[in-house]
């Protein structure tokens, strides 16, 4: 149910955020279910591949989707207890899987030979070299606080005492992770996620040469990645409540509703940020990501200075 929940709900979350953004701008906006209609339309279209592209060009969307849907088996999406795979992979393992998905899409963009796709892949890997250490330092903070880097242990620590949420190390690590989420989901002030301006395209450019069902998989996988990152921030760091403590149907159903409610609230925050800031110039994005890195480093330092 955890991967299925992410798979089914992810496009709806994107549609909800788009609707909220439109309302904030005084527009009617698209329907909340519009992403589902777009995916259905793409799945009925023809798939094309650039001349000279290898088999990996068409395999990359499948690899990225598979890697993304494996992460919900490692993190607390619906349950407060670890699933059979929950103790085989920690936060670093989940980060590796998301990195594998991003790397596959970047390689496929290079395979295409398209200038815009290659441009987006180059930018994504350049800035990713800074965001990945941020995630590692967030993991270090979790490991120092809980004695392990399992996300279930961190969630249990937060649930055990509300004081944990306001501790400096926890707040700094959460803030650093939130900035990474803004970058990874192509949100302002980093990128206009719905724009096609070559001066600022990163995520949107990498899928330029894909079409049909493979483009649908890339867009669907991107929505799943967004919900997974939201879930990590919510159910591991900020609000790990509402999770099912048993496998009974009604407990799991309530956990699904709680997850969707918390994800929509976080999406509202992201929508407000998306409409409150102008997009940064491209060379300023490194400063934005570096700020997240400094917050993550400070989170580790405060543990040794009495803030953890």
């Amino acid at each position: 149910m955890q991967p299925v929940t992410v798979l089914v709900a992810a496009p709806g979350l994107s549609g909800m955020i788009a609707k909220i953004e439109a309302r904030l701008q005084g527009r009617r906006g698209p329907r909340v279910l519009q992403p589902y209609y777009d995916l259905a339309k793409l799945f009925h279209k023809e798939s094309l591949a650039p001349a000279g592209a290898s088999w990996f060009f068409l395999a990359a969307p499948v690899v990225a989707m598979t890697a993304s849907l494996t992460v919900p088996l490692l993190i607390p999406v619906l349950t407060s207890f670890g699933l059979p795979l929950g103790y085989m992979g920690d936060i670093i393992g989940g980060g590796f899987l998301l990195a594998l998905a991003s790397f596959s899409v970047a390689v496929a963009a290079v395979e295409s030979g398209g200038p815009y796709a290659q441009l987006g892949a180059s930018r994504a890997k350049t800035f990713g070299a800074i965001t990945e250490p941020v995630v590692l330092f967030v993991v270090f903070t979790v490991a120092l606080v809980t004695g392990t880097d399992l996300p279930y242990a961190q969630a249990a620590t937060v649930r055990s005492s509300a004081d944990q949420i306001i501790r400096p190390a926890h707040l700094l690590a959460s803030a650093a992770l939130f900035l990474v989420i803004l970058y990874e989901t192509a949100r302002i002030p980093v990128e206009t996620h719905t724009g096609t301006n070559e001066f600022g395209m990163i995520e949107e450019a990498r899928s330029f040469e894909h079409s049909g069902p493979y483009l649908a998989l890339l867009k669907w996988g991107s929505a799943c990645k967004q919900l997974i990152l939201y879930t990590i921030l919510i159910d591991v760091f900020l609000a790990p409540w509402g999770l099912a403590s048993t496998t009974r149907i009604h407990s799991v159903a309530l956990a699904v509703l709680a997850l969707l409610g918390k994800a929509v609230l976080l999406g509202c925050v992201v929508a407000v940020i998306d409409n409150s800031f102008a997009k940064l110039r491209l060379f300023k994005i490194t400063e934005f990501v570096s700020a997240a890195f400094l917050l993550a480093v400070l989170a580790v330092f405060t543990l040794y200075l009495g803030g953890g």
Side-chain angles (χ1 to χ4, degrees), residues 183-206:
Y183 166 77
E184 291 290 344
T185 55
R187 295 290 174 178
I188 290 176
V190 177
E191 180 184 359
T192 51
H193 61 283
T194 57
T196 56
N197 184 355
E198 63 271 19
F199 291 108
M201 288 188 303
I202 303 176
E203 293 292 330
E204 291 293 322
R206 297 193 298 175

Side-chain angles (χ1 to χ4, degrees), residues 295-308:
L295 289 175
V297 173
L298 286 174
V300 176
F301 283 165
T302 52
L303 290 173
Y304 295 99
L305 299 177

Side-chain angles (χ1 to χ4, degrees), residues 62-123:
V62 180
V63 173
M65 176 64 85
T66 303
S68 297
L69 290 181
T70 306
V71 178
L73 297 174
L74 309 178
I75 62 175
V77 178
L78 301 178
T79 64
S80 59
F81 54 89
L83 299 178
L85 295 180
Y87 296 103
M88 295 178 62
D90 48 20
I91 299 180
I92 296 180
F96 282 161
L97 287 171
L98 293 178
L100 173 62
S102 178
F103 176 76
S104 301
V105 177
V107 172
V110 174
E111 280 276 345
S112 68
Y116 288 126
Q118 292 179 335
L119 182 67
S122 175
R123 289 173 174 176

